[in-house]
Amino acid sequence: MVCRVLVLCATEPEIRPFLDRHRPDKKGNTPWGGNIYSGSLGGTGYDILISGPGVFNTAVSLTAFLEKVLPDLILDTGIAGVFKGSGLGLGDAAVADRERYLPAGIDRGGTDPEPLPFDLIPSRPSTRKGIYPMDQNLVDKYLGCLEPKHQDPGGSGPRAGRGTFLTV
């Protein structure tokens, strides 16, 4: 059973609908200038860490948090590349079956970076171009956890989907 959840979000506007609906018990500031909210929902305690945009802010914020607290589950939230063509909207949930990190590679002026001459993750050649495939069994498992709770038979409520996530 999950006891403590960390919800990681780059900016406050991305998590604002949740904060407005589920008022946290307390708000604090991080040493690096971000905000952290804490509360409980359905008996599960949570912390919401506003990291700031970008992978470096995320890495610093998450590392500093994990040095003090080890949550049972981390949810990385935000717009997650919900572009018009995805079919998803605000409030929907998605599970990445692949992550595409665009800054990985060598910029030679084209629209797509050239692959790096080495694997960023050993024995994973796709990481040379910033492509990180996920464990599809885990993707199916987590999507299955989301669908029954979030699918509205009338089609008007939040939906769950899967696809490639994009980090820029």
Side-chain angles (χ1 to χ4, degrees):
M1 175 169 202
V2 175
C3 298
R4 192 83 192 162
V5 175
L6 171 62
V7 180
L8 185 62
C9 196
T11 67
E12 203 158 309
E14 293 174 290
I15 198 75
R16 176 57 47 204
F18 178 87
L19 293 171
D20 289 344
R21 187 172 288 159
H22 308 285
R23 300 269 180 211
D25 299 327
K26 68 179 190 179
K27 174 185 177 182
N29 297 72
T30 63
W32 55 92
N35 290 325
I36 188 161
Y37 298 88
S38 299
S40 180
L41 184 62
T44 299
Y46 67 84
D47 295 301
I48 297 173
L49 177 61
I50 310 299
S51 66
V55 295
F56 297 108
N57 282 326
T58 300
V60 168
S61 298
L62 184 57
T63 299
F65 183 89
L66 294 176
E67 286 177 340
K68 296 183 185 313
V69 179
L70 290 176
D72 298 295
L73 176 68
I74 299 172
L75 296 173
D76 191 2
T77 65
I79 64 164
V82 175
F83 301 108
K84 192 174 186 177
S86 72
L88 297 174
L90 259 152
D92 292 340
V95 177
D97 56 17
R98 177 172 105 146
E99 171 70 29
R100 179 69 200 271
Y101 179 61
L102 283 183
I106 302 168
D107 185 2
R108 296 232 165 104
T111 57
D112 239 1
E114 296 289 323
L116 294 168
F118 52 85
D119 298 345
L120 291 171
I121 298 176
S123 302
R124 297 271 178 119
S126 66
T127 63
R128 292 173 181 226
K129 289 192 80 170
I131 298 170
Y132 301 89
M134 305 299 169
D135 179 326
Q136 295 306 302
N137 291 325
L138 288 176
V139 171
D140 292 341
K141 175 183 174 181
Y142 293 125
L143 191 60
C145 291
L146 289 171
E147 286 177 331
K149 295 176 184 154
H150 292 287
Q151 294 292 354
D152 181 2
S156 61
R159 293 163 293 153
R162 71 185 296 155
T164 299
F165 282 27
L166 179 65
T167 298
V168 293

